[in-house]
Amino acid sequence: WRVYSTKDMVNWTDHGSPLAIESFAWADDRAWAAQCIERNGKFYWYVCLHSKLSNTMAIGVAVGDSPVGPFVDARGSALITNDMTTEFTKISWEDIDPTVFVDDDGRAYQFYSSENNETMYISLLTDDYLKPSGRFTRNFVKESREAPAVFKYNGKYYMLSSGCTGWDPNIAEIAVADSIMGTWKTIGNPCTGPDADKTFYAQSTYVQPVVGKKNAYIAMFDRWKKKDLEDSRYVWLPVLVKDGKITIPWHEKWNLSIFDK
């Protein structure tokens, strides 16, 4: 994984790779889908890894004192595996696609796909952010949703997610809930404009609140080029909130003034 920083979200500084597969003694050759959060001056990096012990995917967590590292494995073992335990089991390989959402009260919730990507789990983490608390819910059962990106607006929780079609793009969906653990209600595809039915040939990854602007968010997507992975890039688009409706319109070029309209 690699770290970049910016002051204006246009110009970026490369800080190298402070975390790698080798940072986790229990993991091996495949890794992706990561998110870093901050709590009380510590930075927690949650990552999806392939386990050499069980030949399946698992979520690990590394901790550091700075967003640019160094980071070390915080547990010495997996945080969550495909069967919702911290013990490896021999079950089928699957993509977990984890994300973590920290609520206003400081509690952290892990979102990830499981059950062969057919069900979205939401797991409350312990206060130290290093273990599952044992409280979790199963959501979108048999609906095969992945790549969750979660944000909060006007007291409600919203989740942007993708379908499961491998390298091929599909329609995004957004869901809403009154409680972080659910029940979640799907309210349709928020994307509009050319190729909205394919999520602009990209997949949801994160929703970033815009500091200093009320009810302003940026939806971040990664665009995979399956025939040229090294040229895969990101798509960032404004999340527009109007009259309780949320849309993500396509713009070839845009700036933060779009939120002032």
Side-chain angles (χ1 to χ4, degrees):
W1 300 273
R2 207 163 187 89
V3 174
Y4 298 85
S5 66
T6 182
K7 293 182 179 180
D8 57 11
M9 301 191 78
V10 175
N11 301 290
W12 294 83
T13 300
D14 184 354
H15 296 278
S17 299
L19 186 66
I21 298 173
E22 292 76 18
S23 303
F24 301 87
W26 48 270
D28 55 4
D29 63 341
R30 291 197 295 271
W32 57 85
Q35 184 180 353
C36 189
I37 62 172
E38 185 272 340
R39 176 180 185 266
N40 296 335
K42 294 284 187 180
F43 294 83
Y44 298 82
W45 206 340
Y46 299 89
V47 295
C48 189
L49 299 146
H50 183 261
S51 163
K52 61 187 177 185
L53 299 180
S54 65
N55 194 32
T56 190
M57 298 305 294
I59 298 171
V61 55
V63 65
D65 294 324
S66 164
V68 299
F71 284 87
V72 297
D73 184 358
R75 292 174 44 89
S77 62
L79 170 69
I80 295 175
T81 58
N82 291 337
D83 65 343
M84 270 299 297
T85 74
T86 54
E87 298 295 329
F88 291 116
T89 56
K90 291 185 178 180
I91 58 178
S92 61
W93 179 91
E94 59 185 284
D95 184 2
I96 295 180
D97 265 0
T99 195
V100 174
F101 175 80
V102 180
D103 209 346
D104 300 333
D105 60 4
R107 291 186 175 184
Y109 299 82
Q110 186 112 55
F111 290 69
Y112 59 95
S113 301
S114 193
E115 300 175 12
N116 291 315
N117 260 15
E118 292 184 346
T119 301
M120 181 76 66
Y121 275 72
I122 303 174
S123 171
L124 172 65
L125 299 180
T126 53
D127 290 343
D128 62 4
Y129 291 13
L130 298 180
K131 297 183 291 293
S133 69
R135 182 186 171 203
F136 66 91
T137 57
R138 297 169 65 246
N139 306 271
F140 311 111
V141 178
K142 300 296 184 181
E143 294 184 24
S144 297
R145 306 304 302 173
E146 67 177 10
V150 184
F151 64 103
K152 192 174 184 178
Y153 162 69
N154 200 23
K156 291 183 180 293
Y157 301 89
Y158 293 86
M159 183 196 306
L160 184 64
S161 67
S162 167
C164 299
T165 51
W167 295 106
D168 297 319
N170 54 63
I171 297 175
E173 286 185 355
I174 195 164
V176 62
D178 293 322
S179 170
I180 188 69
M181 300 289 267
T183 303
W184 290 84
K185 178 184 177 182
T186 301
I187 54 177
N189 179 13
C191 300
T192 62
D195 300 316
D197 61 333
K198 299 179 180 65
T199 316
F200 317 118
Y201 289 94
Q203 185 181 53
S204 50
T205 178
Y206 187 66
V207 175
Q208 171 69 45
V210 179
V211 177
K213 290 185 179 290
K214 185 179 180 181
N215 300 332
Y217 306 87
I218 297 173
M220 302 179 178
F221 304 86
D222 46 14
R223 178 179 283 175
W224 294 90
K225 293 185 178 181
K226 61 183 178 181
K227 295 182 179 180
D228 188 7
L229 286 179
E230 291 186 357
D231 192 44
S232 296
R233 301 176 183 271
Y234 290 95
V235 176
W236 291 12
L237 292 169
V239 179
L240 302 183
V241 182
K242 186 176 181 180
D243 300 327
K245 185 178 180 180
I246 295 176
T247 59
I248 303 175
W250 173 258
H251 288 275
E252 187 69 31
K253 294 182 179 181
W254 62 281
N255 58 47
L256 295 181
S257 66
I258 195 170
F259 298 112
D260 299 328
K261 297 178 181 179

